[in-house]
Amino acid sequence: MQATTLTFGKAVRAGGIAGLLAAGLNNIWSLLAQAMGSVPPPGFPFAVTVSSIFPLLVGAMLYFMLVRFFPKGALLYTAVAVLFLLLSLYPTLYYARLDNMPPTKGFTLLTLPMHLIAGGLGIWGIPKFSR
């Protein structure tokens, strides 16, 4: 993609599309994981929806800035997005709540795929939907 064709509006729209897809898929996954025995914390559907949409909107703004101001901005965005995805997996694997309570049953089964879904849509979806 050439930097001159990307506008801020296109990037934010792409982040919104990717975020809404991630929210929908993550809420569907939440229901499937619950059917497999995972127990979500209270208020989980709202948290999943917000946590799926907001980071992808921020990622879309980052994508816009990197593509706009760096010659290899799209490649740089992909590297940064992959790094963020990998870092986001840490809390799903080594869960520690601030109040030192144990995680809910099946927490990793519930949340790890959600991070992969949202991260994957950030890596693939934002550049694709911003064209």
Side-chain angles (χ1 to χ4, degrees):
M1 168 178 275
Q2 294 178 353
T4 57
T5 62
L6 181 66
T7 65
F8 184 75
K10 283 183 182 179
V12 171
R13 181 181 57 89
I17 293 168
L20 289 172
L21 277 171
L25 291 172
N26 281 339
N27 277 300
I28 290 169
W29 173 253
S30 176
L31 295 173
L32 292 172
Q34 288 176 57
M36 291 186 274
S38 290
V39 177
F44 197 64
F46 177 76
V48 166
T49 302
V50 171
S51 298
S52 296
I53 296 171
F54 182 71
L56 291 176
L57 288 172
V58 172
M61 290 182 240
L62 176 66
Y63 177 71
F64 171 76
M65 290 188 297
L66 291 175
V67 168
R68 188 73 170 194
F69 298 113
F70 291 94
K72 297 204 181 241
L75 180 62
L76 183 58
Y77 169 78
T78 301
V80 170
V82 167
L83 180 64
F84 269 90
L85 170 59
L86 293 174
L87 289 173
S88 81
L89 297 179
Y90 180 81
T92 68
L93 297 170
Y94 304 102
Y95 182 78
R97 287 179 28 179
L98 295 176
D99 57 5
N100 291 324
M101 297 296 293
T104 58
K105 180 183 174 201
F107 180 78
T108 300
L109 170 70
L110 182 65
T111 59
L112 186 83
M114 292 179 175
H115 285 241
L116 295 173
I117 289 168
L121 279 165
I123 294 165
W124 171 80
I126 290 172
K128 174 150 179 68
F129 300 136
S130 65
R131 292 186 184 136

